[in-house]
Amino acid sequence: MAKMTNFLFLITAAALSARAADETTARLDKAAAVFTKLTTAPHGIRPEQIDSADCIAVVPGFKKGAAVVGVGFGRGFISCRTDAGWSAPGAIAIETGSLGVQLGAEAIDIVILSMDKSRRPKLLSDRFAVGSDAAAAWGNGKTAHADPNAQILFFGSTKGAFAGFGLDGATIKWDESGDKALYGKPITNTTIVNGGTTTPDIAAAFVGKLSQGSNR
């Protein structure tokens, strides 16, 4: 009986691992498509902004929860600049309790540029609070430099239209399960972006898109 229980546990664990890998691959593909969309759209992310960025995060399909609660959640990936180009991606999640999502329950594709290298350790930590750990602003269109002191620029779109939500109160968090699904072992984002692992084949297209969006 014990052997049968162990066997069923292993089968279940393998099935869950395969499902996590499939979801991770799909999310990476969506992230690459989102970055391409927001770097080629009118009033989108300009090459010089990418050139000035230390880290880039992409969260495809950020979604606001129930209207009363107003909680939003999304999962994506972050890559930071290295001497050899953009690093292997680490998994992140972004959450907000804000009621300020402008377009109701629509999913919003988000790209985040971190412009200050000194913020990198905190950005890669367990929890990075937008507004208190760094000043942030939406970078879309005419408001791209509305806050000259912003260390974080957000870009977002939904169904082809630019979108935004209340930034203060949003948090960027390490997605531990996402990294485990991507790399097959427990590993932190700090270790990943500092060269602790090579870019997995399934993430090569995503990292390649980051390079294509830059002038350097």
Side-chain angles (χ1 to χ4, degrees), residues 14-204:
L16 291 174
S17 178
R19 179 179 177 182
D22 288 344
E23 291 176 348
T24 300
T25 300
R27 194 176 300 119
L28 279 163
D29 290 343
K30 289 178 181 177
V34 165
F35 185 77
T36 298
K37 177 176 67 176
L38 287 178
T39 52
T40 56
H43 304 299
I45 308 171
R46 301 190 303 274
E48 59 267 26
Q49 290 175 313
I50 298 171
D51 292 344
S52 299
D54 176 60
C55 297
I56 298 176
V58 184
V59 180
F62 173 91
K63 293 181 180 179
K64 177 185 174 183
V68 175
V69 178
V71 174
F73 180 78
R75 300 174 72 187
F77 303 93
I78 187 169
S79 176
C80 295
R81 195 179 295 280
T82 72
D83 292 340
W86 292 101
S87 71
I92 62 165
I94 182 169
E95 300 176 350
T96 179
S98 170
L99 293 174
V101 176
Q102 295 178 0
L103 298 178
E106 298 285 355
I108 303 175
D109 295 324
I110 298 173
V111 174
I112 306 166
L113 304 186
S114 176
M115 315 304 287
D116 185 353
K117 188 174 182 178
S118 69
R119 307 278 170 171
R120 185 190 293 194
K122 184 63 177 178
L123 184 62
L124 299 174
S125 68
D126 291 345
R127 189 178 184 86
F128 179 92
V130 177
S132 59
D133 288 323
W138 280 98
N140 293 356
K142 295 180 180 179
T143 63
H145 297 289
D147 182 357
N149 298 314
Q151 295 103 9
I152 303 288
L153 291 180
F154 282 72
F155 298 80
S157 72
T158 181
K159 293 185 176 179
F162 288 113
F165 62 88
L167 295 173
D168 288 340
T171 57
I172 299 170
K173 302 171 65 177
W174 171 41
D175 182 0
E176 183 176 2
S177 63
D179 276 340
K180 189 173 182 179
L182 181 54
Y183 294 98
K185 60 182 180 181
I187 189 169
T188 66
N189 283 345
T190 299
T191 298
I192 292 167
V193 303
N194 288 335
T197 184
T198 56
T199 301
D201 290 342
I202 62 171

